[in-house]
Amino acid sequence: GWKLFGKVPPKEISKPQEEGNKTSFQQEASTSSSSKPKFLSLKRNSAAVPSSTTALIFENRPSNLPAKSAAEEKKHRQMYEAMVAEAKKKELRDKKRQEKEMKQKSKQEKVISSAACVWTSEILPNWESMKHSRKAKELWWQGLPPSVRGKIWKLAIGNDLQITYELFDIFQSHAYEKLMVTRNNRKKNKESGSVAELPTNDYPMSVVSSEHKVELIMLDVSRTFPSLCIFQEGGPFHDVLHSILGAYTCYRPDVGYVQGMSFIAAVLLLNLEPPDAFISFANLLNKPCQLAFFRVDHPMMKAYFATFEILLSEFLNKLHEHFHHESFSPDMYLIDWIFTLFSKSLPLDVACRVWDVFCRDGDDFLFRTALGILKFYQDDLLEMDFIHLGQFLTKLPDDIPVNNLFDSISSINL
């Protein structure tokens, strides 16, 4: 058998001898504990471990290494003092920045509260006589207060189509029936192992055939403002958004569903009740520019692109030449901007500011906004190639300063 540390295995000794050995082993262990190897008795010596960067810098070297020279010790002390000074400066800068942000936020809240009072007490009760007043236009440009934004959008968009709540209920019921049929078919296909095919046309130029409308709406709804997590399946606005889009396809089968509509309907839902959101959605898409794009009227779309290119060469000639050199045509960014009314490319709060003035000024403001964005980022865009231009303009920076952007837009006078 195996012998460990020279000891005889238990099978080879008698019980009395085993007990004697056990006693002697315990005695040996107690008497030799002070002389056992260091690797068996290593303990963390808190006094020997530097507790901070300060201690690490000023700590003397171990005895087995050469001691620090006076010059080296002075250098380390200076490095430490510089590091502490920089940390204090950063802390002071952060504190000042936070105080500035808090003051700006407080000031902005006061402005919004004051504007909301003016809208509710003076302008909204006298809408027809006040909507074109100088006071209303100035407040409009500053951004509508969230508390009244939906009401003002509804009034500004209007209801030329004369859609009633009852009509919305009818189309919503039809859309719900189609949704249930599609979900049941999906379930059957899943059980049978077959897969339903969706159109392969690229966004956003595809107008979906009737048999794929509900499928594509279901897919698009889940991809609408994913960061908000309210339009995805299980979210509070998932079914409502689907019902509005489905109801619209029943109301306007000649237009049908086009990818990108979900973003417009979602922005309206965030500011209006579902029936009002549907009425505004249908009337908004009935405007000349939106109707041309959503019906994929190629001659009209080309006319819009050609007009915009002329404006680009007039206001931003250097950038126009750069785009031409990179073969980067207006349709490569304008389609996405117009199909979603900037709600996909801009941060949501900035997009709502754009919508505020768009509801007041109409389609012209969309092209002013496009030129304003290009002017605001002109220096950056001039350094980009074709691929980076497309990536940048598809999803603009989240930290875009809205006031500076609107200053850029205001400098474009069409």
Side-chain angles (χ1 to χ4, degrees):
W2 292 96
K3 293 184 179 181
L4 302 176
F5 307 112
K7 299 290 182 181
V8 180
K11 291 182 180 179
E12 300 179 14
I13 60 175
S14 62
K15 189 172 182 180
Q17 186 180 354
E18 179 183 355
E19 291 177 354
N21 288 340
K22 183 177 179 182
T23 304
S24 62
F25 179 77
Q26 289 174 346
Q27 292 174 350
E28 289 174 7
S30 60
T31 55
S32 62
S33 60
S34 58
S35 61
K36 63 182 176 181
K38 289 184 179 180
F39 73 88
L40 293 178
S41 60
L42 282 178
K43 290 184 180 179
R44 186 176 180 84
N45 187 354
S46 57
V49 178
S51 59
S52 65
T53 309
T54 310
L56 185 63
I57 290 174
F58 297 132
E59 184 77 17
N60 292 326
R61 288 200 179 117
S63 57
N64 61 333
L65 294 176
K68 289 183 183 180
S69 65
E72 189 176 11
E73 189 170 350
K74 182 180 179 182
K75 178 184 175 183
H76 285 177
R77 182 177 291 277
Q78 289 174 343
M79 288 172 63
Y80 169 73
E81 290 173 353
M83 186 169 60
V84 171
E86 183 59 33
K88 287 181 178 179
K89 286 180 182 179
K90 183 178 182 302
E91 185 179 357
L92 187 61
R93 287 197 303 268
D94 291 344
K95 186 178 179 181
K96 287 182 178 179
R97 178 179 55 79
Q98 290 174 358
E99 289 176 353
K100 185 178 179 181
E101 288 176 354
M102 288 297 293
K103 287 180 180 178
Q104 288 178 343
K105 187 177 180 181
S106 177
K107 183 180 178 181
Q108 187 178 8
E109 287 176 353
K110 288 179 181 178
V111 170
I112 290 173
S113 177
S114 176
C117 290
V118 175
W119 279 106
T120 54
S121 62
E122 297 180 31
I123 302 175
L124 286 175
N126 307 291
W127 176 253
E128 291 302 325
S129 60
M130 289 288 292
K131 64 181 179 181
H132 296 303
S133 65
R134 182 178 178 180
K135 188 173 189 178
K137 287 184 177 181
E138 289 176 355
L139 288 173
W140 222 317
W141 184 264
Q142 294 171 10
L144 300 176
S147 59
V148 297
R149 176 171 276 151
K151 296 176 184 178
I152 298 170
W153 284 5
K154 178 184 174 182
L155 290 168
I157 294 170
N159 187 13
D160 293 340
L161 297 174
Q162 298 296 312
I163 300 174
T164 62
Y165 291 166
E166 291 75 19
L167 193 61
F168 168 63
D169 289 337
I170 293 170
F171 290 127
Q172 188 181 32
S173 298
H174 291 330
Y176 182 76
E177 290 173 5
K178 290 184 178 181
L179 175 62
M180 289 299 102
V181 170
T182 303
R183 282 179 174 172
N184 290 334
N185 289 338
R186 262 188 166 189
K187 189 176 180 181
K188 291 177 182 177
N189 291 336
K190 190 175 182 181
E191 290 173 354
S192 63
S194 60
V195 180
E197 295 183 358
L198 286 175
T200 57
N201 305 60
D202 293 334
Y203 167 79
M205 294 299 294
S206 59
V207 175
V208 186
S209 58
S210 57
E211 63 268 21
H212 294 303
K213 287 176 185 175
V214 179
E215 284 278 354
L216 192 48
I217 289 172
M218 291 174 70
L219 183 63
D220 271 6
V221 166
S222 63
R223 298 187 294 198
T224 304
F225 296 122
S227 60
L228 297 182
C229 301
I230 58 176
F231 296 107
Q232 287 61 49
E233 191 166 0
F237 285 90
H238 176 268
D239 290 343
V240 184
L241 179 56
H242 191 286
S243 68
I244 287 179
L245 296 171
Y248 182 77
T249 62
C250 295
Y251 173 66
R252 291 297 298 265
D254 58 317
V255 178
Y257 177 75
V258 182
Q259 288 179 278
M261 286 182 176
S262 61
F263 281 89
I264 297 178
V267 173
L268 290 168
L269 263 179
L270 291 173
N271 294 277
L272 292 162
E273 293 298 321
D276 290 324
F278 173 78
I279 293 171
S280 296
F281 179 73
N283 281 276
L284 196 57
L285 267 55
N286 200 49
K287 305 291 183 184
C289 181
Q290 282 67 49
L291 198 59
F293 274 79
F294 283 108
R295 294 183 73 171
V296 196
D297 186 340
H298 290 287
M300 283 297 296
M301 292 172 71
K302 287 180 180 179
Y304 278 113
F305 296 146
T307 302
F308 183 80
E309 192 152 21
I310 293 171
L311 294 172
L312 183 62
S313 65
E314 179 182 343
F315 288 98
L316 303 167
N317 186 54
K318 193 174 181 180
L319 188 61
H320 174 260
E321 290 178 356
H322 177 64
F323 281 3
H324 182 73
H325 179 264
E326 294 292 332
S327 300
F328 194 67
S329 56
D331 59 289
M332 294 181 177
Y333 51 95
L334 274 185
I335 284 179
D336 192 59
W337 288 356
I338 293 175
F339 263 82
T340 62
L341 301 180
F342 295 96
S343 58
K344 185 180 176 185
S345 302
L346 286 172
L348 186 56
D349 59 330
V350 181
C352 285
R353 282 284 304 272
V354 172
W355 277 51
D356 290 342
V357 188
F358 163 66
C359 289
R360 184 192 74 182
D361 294 351
D363 298 337
D364 288 352
F365 189 71
L366 294 179
F367 296 99
R368 282 187 70 191
T369 301
L371 291 168
I373 290 171
L374 296 178
K375 182 179 180 179
F376 186 74
Y377 286 112
Q378 181 174 207
D379 293 340
D380 297 320
L381 295 171
L382 288 170
E383 302 296 324
M384 297 182 188
D385 58 15
F386 179 90
I387 294 175
H388 290 94
L389 286 170
Q391 292 175 341
F392 183 83
L393 294 178
T394 298
K395 183 58 180 173
L396 295 162
D398 290 331
D399 60 349
I400 180 170
V402 63
N403 292 328
N404 294 346
L405 174 63
F406 268 72
D407 289 341
S408 179
I409 295 172
S410 67
S411 67
I412 306 293
N413 294 312
L414 300 181

